[in-house]
C-alpha cells in the first residue's frame, strides 16, 4: 500500500507548487481526481512492454507472435475511439470515465479465466477489452484536463497530468518486471494472473469512487460553425487543417513511443548487453527520465511556447535515434535512454495543440486523436524487420521517420505564429 500513498503525496505536492498557473480554484478537486487516472492507464499500457517478453519465455512464442499483444490492445483503441467520442458527447466526461474504468477492470479480471483456458488467444481477448476501456478513459480525461483552467496554460496543464502517466509506466515496468522475470522460466506461466487480478479490483473500486463524486461538465457556446450542416468529424477535416496535421503527428508519435518501449527489452537482450531482469530495470530508469521530462516540460512551457518546445524535442529525438541506427554500442544504448527525455512532452503537447480553438468540437476531435494508439502496431513491423534481417538496430528507422513528421508539425505551427523556421 506504500505505492499509492507515495503517488498521492507526490501529486498533491507538485500540484500545490504549480497551482497558481495550472488551474482555477473551483477545478482543484476535479483536476486532482482526473490526474490520478493518468497513473492507472500508464501502468496498464507499460505492463505490455514486459508482458511481451514474458509471453515469449512462458509460452515459447516468437517476438513477432508476441507483438499481437500490442496489436490487440491498440486495436481496441482504434475500433472504440469514435464510439467513445459519441458516448462522451452524449453523456459527458464523468460517465465516460466510469464506463472506461468498468471495462478496464472487467478486462483485467478476465485474465483469471484466461489462465484457466491456458491459451494465448484468451489473454488477447482480455487485453482487447482493456484497450476498449482505456480509450474511454483517455478520450474523457485528456481533453477534460485541457479545459480545467485558462486556455493559455492548457498544454502545461496536460503535460503535468501526463507526468503521472510516466509514473505509472515506470512503476509497472519495475514492479511487474521484477515479478515476471524473477525465478526460473518454468514458473513464468503461473505469474500472469496476479498483477491483473489486483489491478482489476483496484480499478473497479476507483470506478465506484468516481460514481460518487461530481465532476463539473465544461460547456461551450454554440457558434456559426456548430449550426452549419455536416457532422462534427467532417467539420474537423474540412475546416481545421492544423488539427488534421496534429492527428497525423500524434499517430507518428504513438508509432515511435509504443514501438520503442515494446522493442526495448528485446533489443538490449538480443545485443547481449543485459538479461531480461536487468533490461526491465533499465527500462524503468528510462521511464523515470520520461516522467521527469514531462514534469520539467510542464514547468518550462509556462514561459516557452509549446510549439517551440516540441520542435526542440523532436530534433533531440532525431539525433538520439540516429545514433541508435549507427549501432555504436554503448553510445547507442545511452542515446536510446536519452530519447525518453526528449519524447516525454510530445503526446500531451501535440494533443493540446491539435485541440486548440476547437470549442464544441473538442470531444469529437479527442475521440479521433485517441484512435492513434493503433500506432502501437508499428512494433509488429519492427519485429518483422528484425526477424527477417537479423539486424536489431535497423527497425529504429521507423521511429526516426516518425519523429521527423513531428518536427514538421512543430515547424509548421511555429511558422504560422512567427514566420518561417525550417527549410527542407
Amino acid at each position: 500500500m506504500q505505492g499509492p500513498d507515495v503517488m498521492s503525496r507526490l501529486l498533491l505536492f507538485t500540484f500545490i507548487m504549480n497551482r497558481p498557473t495550472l488551474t482555477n480554484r473551483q477545478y482543484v478537486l476535479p483536476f486532482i481526481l482526473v490526474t490520478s487516472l493518468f497513473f492507472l492507464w500508464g501502468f496498464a499500457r507499460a505492463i505490455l512492454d514486459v508482458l511481451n517478453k514474458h509471453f515469449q519465455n512462458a509460452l515459447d512464442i516468437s517476438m513477432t507472435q508476441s507483438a499481437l499483444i500490442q496489436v490487440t490492445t491498440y486495436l481496441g483503441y482504434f475500433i472504440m475511439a469514435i464510439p467513445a467520442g459519441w458516448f462522451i458527447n452524449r453523456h459527458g466526461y464523468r460517465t465516460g470515465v466510469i464506463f472506461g474504468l468498468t471495462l478496464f477492470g472487467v478486462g483485467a479480471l478476465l485474465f483469471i479465466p484466461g489462465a484457466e483456458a491456458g491459451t494465448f488467444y484468451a489473454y488477447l481477448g482480455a487485453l482487447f477489452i482493456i484497450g476498449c476501456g482505456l480509450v474511454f478513459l483517455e478520450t474523457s480525461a485528456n481533453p477534460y484536463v485541457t479545459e480545467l483552467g485558462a486556455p493559455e496554460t492548457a498544454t502545461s496543464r496536460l503535460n503535468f497530468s501526463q507526468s503521472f502517466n510516466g509514473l505509472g509506466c515506470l512503476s509497472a515496468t519495475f514492479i511487474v518486471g521484477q515479478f515476471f522475470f524473477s525465478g526460473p522460466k518454468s514458473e513464468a506461466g503461473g505469474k500472469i494472473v496476479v498483477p491483473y487480478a489486483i489491478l482489476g479490483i483496484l480499478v473497479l473500486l476507483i470506478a465506484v469512487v468516481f460514481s460518487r463524486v461530481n465532476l463539473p461538465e465544461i460547456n461551450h457556446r454554440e457558434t456559426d460553425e456548430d449550426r452549419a450542416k455536416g457532422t462534427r468529424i467532417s467539420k474537423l477535416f474540412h475546416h481545421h487543417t492544423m488539427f488534421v496535421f496534429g492527428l497525423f503527428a500524434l499517430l507518428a508519435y504513438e508509432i515511435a513511443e509504443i514501438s520503442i518501449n515494446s522493442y526495448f527489452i528485446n533489443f538490449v537482450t538480443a545485443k547481449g548487453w543485459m538479461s531480461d531482469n536487468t533490461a526491465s530495470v533499465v527500462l524503468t530508469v528510462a521511464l523515470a527520465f520520461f516522467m521527469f521530462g514531462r514534469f520539467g516540460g510542464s514547468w518550462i512551457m509556462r514561459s516557452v511556447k509549446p510549439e517551440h518546445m516540441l520542435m526542440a524535442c523532436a530534433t533531440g529525438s532525431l539525433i538520439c535515434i540516429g545514433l541508435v541506427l549507427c549501432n555504436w554500442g554503448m553510445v547507442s544504448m545511452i542515446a536510446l535512454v536519452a530519447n525518453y527525455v526528449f519524447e516525454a512532452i510530445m503526446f500531451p503537447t501535440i494533443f493540446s495543440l491539435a485541440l486548440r480553438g476547437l470549442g464544441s468540437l473538442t470531444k469529437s476531435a479527442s475521440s479521433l486523436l485517441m484512435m492513434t494508439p493503433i500506432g502501437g502496431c508499428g512494433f509488429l513491423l519492427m519485429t518483422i524487420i528484425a526477424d527477417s534481417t537479423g539486424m536489431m538496430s535497423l527497425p529504429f528507422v521507423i521511429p526516426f521517420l516518425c519523429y521527423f513528421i513531428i518536427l514538421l508539425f512543430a515547424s509548421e505551427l511555429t511558422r504560422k505564429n512567427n514566420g518561417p523556421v525550417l527549410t527542407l
Side-chain angles (χ1 to χ4, degrees), residues 271-332:
K271 284 287 189 180
W273 292 339
M274 57 195 74
S275 66
D276 292 347
N277 199 333
T278 305
S280 71
V281 174
V282 175
L283 179 56
T284 300
V285 172
L287 289 169
F289 285 132
F290 182 85
M291 181 189 71
F292 287 117
R294 278 192 173 163
F295 275 121
S298 174
W299 180 78
I300 291 171
M301 278 187 280
R302 291 188 296 179
S303 55
V304 174
K305 288 185 177 180
E307 53 266 38
H308 292 173
M309 185 76 172
L310 182 62
M311 188 162 62
C313 288
T315 303
S317 284
L318 280 170
I319 293 170
C320 287
I321 300 303
L323 290 172
V324 176
L325 283 167
C326 290
N327 197 21
W328 286 344
M330 290 310 297
V331 172
S332 295

Side-chain angles (χ1 to χ4, degrees), residues 392-411:
M392 295 300 291
S393 296
L394 183 60
F396 282 96
V397 71
I398 294 172
F400 183 87
L401 294 173
C402 291
Y403 290 130
F404 184 70
I405 292 171
I406 296 168
L407 178 61
L408 292 178
F409 173 66
S411 177

